Amino acid sequence: MRLTKYTHACVRLDKPASGAGGGAPDDGGARRVLVIDPGSFSEVEEALRGAEALLVTHEHADHVDVDRVAAVLAQDTALEAWAPAKVAEQLRAAAPGAADRIHAAEQNAEFEAAGYRVQTFGSQHALIHPLVPVVANIGYLVDGEVFHPGDSFTVPHGIAVGTLLVPIHAPWNKIGEVLDFIISVRARRAFPIHNALLNELGTGLVEGHAKRVGSIYGTEFVHLEPGETVEL
C-alpha cells in the first residue's frame, strides 16, 4: 500500500487491484484508491482523481469541502463516500444524483470500501472549548494498518496499529497531548497531519518532540510534505 499526504488532513491510499501484478510506484498496474478527509485546505480534486472510496471523519470544512467533494461525486459515478450522518446528509443534498453512493458511518463498525477493510473508532470531536459545540467524529483504521483519527485522540482498542496519522497541531490540542497520543497507540511509524496552520519554525519544534518521544516508545515519526508518497 502507498500513502500520499496532501495539505492538512487529507491522505490518499492506493494498492494493487486484486490480481494486478507489482506494486512499484511506476508499475502501471491497476490500483485501488481510497481518500480520507479532502477538506478546504487540501488539493481535493487531485486527491480524488481515480478514487473509488472516500472517508470523512467529521463535518468541519478543513476535513470535507462539501461543494468540491459533491462535484466530484456527481461527475465520478464510481466514487462512494462514508461519513458521519450529518455530513452524509450534506453531501446527498449537494449531490442528489449520488445519494445512493453516500453512506452514514457509525462508530465501532466494519465495512469494505474499494477493496479495503475499514474499521471505525470513536464518536466525537475533541473539545475545543465549552462554548464550541462538540460534533461527531469517526476515526478510520484501513486494512488494519493506517489509522486516521480525525480531530480526536481516539486510541483504537484491541488493535496493533502499523501507521498512525498524528494531528500534530490544532485549536483543540497541545503538544503534551499529541505526545501522549503517540505513546498510547505505539504504532511502528507515524506521519503528521492537521498541520496547515504551522510555519517552518512551529513544524520543527513540535515534530522534533514527536520524533524524540516517539522513538523512546518504538514509533518512528517521519515528516511528510504535501504531495509526498511513501510505501507502507
Side-chain angles (χ1 to χ4, degrees), residues 7 21 46 54-55 74 77 90 92 105 120 132 140 157 168 171 181 193 200 223 228:
T7 301
E46 179 182 343
L54 160 67
L55 309 178
T77 58
Q90 292 172 335
R92 291 186 194 113
T120 64
V132 178
Y140 298 101
H157 50 275
I168 201 74
F181 180 57
I193 57 170
E200 290 184 8
H223 175 77
E228 189 171 352

Side-chain angles (χ1 to χ4, degrees), residues 153 166-169 173-183:
F153 288 134
V166 180
I168 201 74
H169 174 263
N173 74 25
K174 61 183 181 181
I175 188 59
E177 296 170 332
V178 172
L179 300 179
D180 284 341
F181 180 57
I182 294 171
I183 291 169

Side-chain angles (χ1 to χ4, degrees), residues 9 14 18 53 57-59 81 100 109 139 147 150 164-165 168 197 208 231:
D14 69 90
S18 178
T57 61
H58 65 285
E59 66 190 66
D100 61 342
F147 182 62
L164 177 65
L165 302 178
I168 201 74
L197 301 184
E231 295 278 348

